[in-house]
Amino acid sequence: FFISDLKDLSELIGILGNYLEGGEEIFVEPLCEVLQICTRPFIKEIASEEYRNFQALCDTLQALGNLLVAPNRQVQLAAGQVLETYAGADGGQPATISYHHQVLANSKVAENVSAGLASITLEDRQVLLQMLRVFLELSRTKELAIQLHEVGALSCVVEAIQCGFKTEVVSVAIEALWNVCELAPGAAQTLSTERTVLVYRDVLLELLNEGHRIQDKELRNELLLLCAYLAEEQESCGDFFADSGLLEIMLTTSSAIEYELAEHPVKAFVLTSSSEDFEMKRAMIHIVCLLSANEHCMEQAAAHPCFIPALVLHLDEHLAHHAARRKFSRQHERQLQVQVLASLATLVPGCSERFLELGGIDIVLEFVTAQSEEALRSASLHLLVSTATLPGFQEQMGGRAVAMMLSLVKERELHPYGIRQDAMLLLSKLCARCMENQVVIGELE
């Protein structure tokens, strides 16, 4: 169709849609033929014509959007295909895609997509997938992502995740939710409901038990990113993670390599050395740390028989040849150690007694001594600084830690400024109202 004819086209689509609403099924076929032609780019007679006819484009897109809630699924599919094609601008330039999204943002299409998703059942996978494809294309732009959030479309997309992880519906739905959470302020807060957590838990369990393919593991990790968005809203949904068992799943899975139980609940194909399984482990540890601000979640993490010990294991120089330490490459092991140190700095204040029982302070001090890499030393010192004022930690670190820090401060040529600064900060915390440590400094000086 010519852009100059869009006004007439939108009126024609509206008339045919009204006939369809009135039960005139005879108009289904001609309407679908019109929609098929609409999947092709509109023809411009002059270069700027598309920009001069902004309102006509908006009216046409709005008429197409109205068909997403048409009483005929054939028409819904055809209209969805047109909107997906227009929003994606397949093969188009970024400027073209941007302009198309401006048109869509002014056409109330987000409202139609939301209404369309609410009107169909999970059993009608073909129409559901088409609706989600439109949703996905709209979610790539901030303004449209905000609109999708504001019209309440997210809950329908969450429900679609239940269709089975091997279906395209689920992969499209997860990517779409990811986009909206990333671009629309408040979207994660809106999703922070018990229902969302339960759906995520069920799908994650299904992926952990049956998702052995690479694409399944990639999908699993994308779902964990959605869980991380929820975990950031721990004030509103932290209890849901703990009560639903989702937190328990993450605690057990992320520590499964380190502590093999007699009847292990985690499948072997989840515990490989692949980059996907490594990223899964890191994502789960990160989510636990986010949730630790919630008292219920922190109690569950502290009480878990394997989680905290598994983190400490990666720092213990006496267990350098443990199977879990040799599971990943040297680079991955270093990345994990840096994360473990940062995670313990967050978690130990909530499980200090458990950390002391594991000999955590001595392990970290030995680790600092053995490391030459600045990133690992810096992370180790940050952990010690974060925990030095906890009950009993000053005494436990004692003269040994004081001597180590004093050495780091004095050796200006051997250690960068940041390391010496952290060492000085730790010294001040170790000696604050602790005469024993102050005496050690006096003796060493």
Side-chain angles (χ1 to χ4, degrees), residues 43 105 155 160 176 205 225 230 289 306 343 371 391 403 444:
I43 300 173
S155 59
L205 270 176
L225 286 173
L230 293 190
C289 289
C306 302
S343 300
Q371 299 307 316
L444 291 174

mmCIF file of all heavy atoms in Angstrom, residues 43 105 155 160 176 205 225 230 289 306 343 371 391 403 444:
data_model
loop_
_atom_site.group_PDB
_atom_site.id
_atom_site.type_symbol
_atom_site.label_atom_id
_atom_site.label_comp_id
_atom_site.label_asym_id
_atom_site.label_seq_id
_atom_site.Cartn_x
_atom_site.Cartn_y
_atom_site.Cartn_z
ATOM 1 N N ILE A 43 4.768 1.862 0.670
ATOM 2 C CA ILE A 43 5.507 2.464 -0.440
ATOM 3 C C ILE A 43 5.543 3.987 -0.307
ATOM 4 O O ILE A 43 4.501 4.639 -0.149
ATOM 5 C CB ILE A 43 4.869 2.082 -1.795
ATOM 6 C CG1 ILE A 43 4.894 0.555 -1.963
ATOM 7 C CG2 ILE A 43 5.609 2.758 -2.953
ATOM 8 C CD1 ILE A 43 4.132 0.072 -3.182
ATOM 9 N N ALA A 105 4.411 3.630 19.641
ATOM 10 C CA ALA A 105 4.210 4.203 20.974
ATOM 11 C C ALA A 105 3.025 5.163 20.994
ATOM 12 O O ALA A 105 2.407 5.372 22.043
ATOM 13 C CB ALA A 105 5.471 4.926 21.423
ATOM 14 N N SER A 155 1.957 -9.808 33.866
ATOM 15 C CA SER A 155 1.455 -11.015 34.529
ATOM 16 C C SER A 155 1.069 -12.092 33.516
ATOM 17 O O SER A 155 1.263 -13.288 33.769
ATOM 18 C CB SER A 155 0.258 -10.672 35.417
ATOM 19 O OG SER A 155 -0.789 -10.101 34.652
ATOM 20 N N ALA A 160 2.730 -17.368 30.734
ATOM 21 C CA ALA A 160 3.107 -18.076 29.503
ATOM 22 C C ALA A 160 4.355 -18.926 29.679
ATOM 23 O O ALA A 160 4.581 -19.879 28.923
ATOM 24 C CB ALA A 160 3.322 -17.062 28.374
ATOM 25 N N ALA A 176 11.429 -11.338 26.642
ATOM 26 C CA ALA A 176 10.575 -10.142 26.718
ATOM 27 C C ALA A 176 10.530 -9.581 28.138
ATOM 28 O O ALA A 176 10.631 -8.361 28.342
ATOM 29 C CB ALA A 176 9.169 -10.486 26.232
ATOM 30 N N LEU A 205 13.021 -25.643 38.292
ATOM 31 C CA LEU A 205 13.102 -27.058 38.651
ATOM 32 C C LEU A 205 13.036 -27.945 37.412
ATOM 33 O O LEU A 205 13.782 -28.925 37.273
ATOM 34 C CB LEU A 205 11.966 -27.416 39.608
ATOM 35 C CG LEU A 205 12.247 -27.269 41.095
ATOM 36 C CD1 LEU A 205 10.987 -27.562 41.905
ATOM 37 C CD2 LEU A 205 13.381 -28.169 41.532
ATOM 38 N N LEU A 225 18.497 -14.670 35.652
ATOM 39 C CA LEU A 225 18.604 -13.209 35.587
ATOM 40 C C LEU A 225 17.285 -12.561 35.989
ATOM 41 O O LEU A 225 17.270 -11.530 36.678
ATOM 42 C CB LEU A 225 19.013 -12.770 34.179
ATOM 43 C CG LEU A 225 20.465 -13.027 33.796
ATOM 44 C CD1 LEU A 225 20.696 -12.710 32.326
ATOM 45 C CD2 LEU A 225 21.413 -12.189 34.648
ATOM 46 N N LEU A 230 14.049 -9.923 40.679
ATOM 47 C CA LEU A 230 13.128 -10.042 41.811
ATOM 48 C C LEU A 230 13.879 -9.957 43.139
ATOM 49 O O LEU A 230 13.408 -9.345 44.092
ATOM 50 C CB LEU A 230 12.369 -11.375 41.746
ATOM 51 C CG LEU A 230 11.371 -11.594 40.618
ATOM 52 C CD1 LEU A 230 10.563 -12.853 40.889
ATOM 53 C CD2 LEU A 230 10.437 -10.414 40.445
ATOM 54 N N CYS A 289 23.079 -13.573 47.769
ATOM 55 C CA CYS A 289 23.608 -12.356 48.403
ATOM 56 C C CYS A 289 22.600 -11.216 48.355
ATOM 57 O O CYS A 289 22.447 -10.470 49.330
ATOM 58 C CB CYS A 289 24.908 -11.934 47.728
ATOM 59 S SG CYS A 289 26.293 -13.041 48.075
ATOM 60 N N CYS A 306 25.484 -26.863 53.490
ATOM 61 C CA CYS A 306 26.596 -26.868 52.535
ATOM 62 C C CYS A 306 26.984 -25.506 51.982
ATOM 63 O O CYS A 306 28.126 -25.326 51.542
ATOM 64 C CB CYS A 306 26.253 -27.795 51.351
ATOM 65 S SG CYS A 306 25.881 -29.494 51.817
ATOM 66 N N SER A 343 31.052 -12.117 48.273
ATOM 67 C CA SER A 343 29.815 -12.686 48.823
ATOM 68 C C SER A 343 29.918 -12.874 50.329
ATOM 69 O O SER A 343 28.978 -12.573 51.073
ATOM 70 C CB SER A 343 29.507 -14.025 48.146
ATOM 71 O OG SER A 343 29.334 -13.864 46.753
ATOM 72 N N GLN A 371 48.456 -15.173 48.046
ATOM 73 C CA GLN A 371 48.071 -14.565 46.777
ATOM 74 C C GLN A 371 48.993 -13.416 46.384
ATOM 75 O O GLN A 371 49.409 -12.626 47.226
ATOM 76 C CB GLN A 371 46.623 -14.057 46.829
ATOM 77 C CG GLN A 371 45.601 -15.134 47.076
ATOM 78 C CD GLN A 371 45.711 -16.288 46.106
ATOM 79 O OE1 GLN A 371 45.875 -16.087 44.905
ATOM 80 N NE2 GLN A 371 45.633 -17.505 46.636
ATOM 81 N N PRO A 391 31.474 -9.349 66.617
ATOM 82 C CA PRO A 391 31.850 -9.900 67.937
ATOM 83 C C PRO A 391 32.857 -11.056 67.816
ATOM 84 O O PRO A 391 32.609 -12.030 67.109
ATOM 85 C CB PRO A 391 30.509 -10.386 68.500
ATOM 86 C CG PRO A 391 29.482 -9.533 67.831
ATOM 87 C CD PRO A 391 30.003 -9.291 66.454
ATOM 88 N N ALA A 403 50.211 -7.920 62.266
ATOM 89 C CA ALA A 403 51.557 -7.977 61.692
ATOM 90 C C ALA A 403 51.508 -7.990 60.169
ATOM 91 O O ALA A 403 52.294 -7.310 59.500
ATOM 92 C CB ALA A 403 52.281 -9.221 62.203
ATOM 93 N N LEU A 444 55.888 -4.323 67.431
ATOM 94 C CA LEU A 444 56.439 -4.428 66.066
ATOM 95 C C LEU A 444 57.121 -3.143 65.641
ATOM 96 O O LEU A 444 58.077 -3.162 64.881
ATOM 97 C CB LEU A 444 55.309 -4.785 65.084
ATOM 98 C CG LEU A 444 54.734 -6.198 65.230
ATOM 99 C CD1 LEU A 444 53.532 -6.377 64.320
ATOM 100 C CD2 LEU A 444 55.791 -7.244 64.895
#
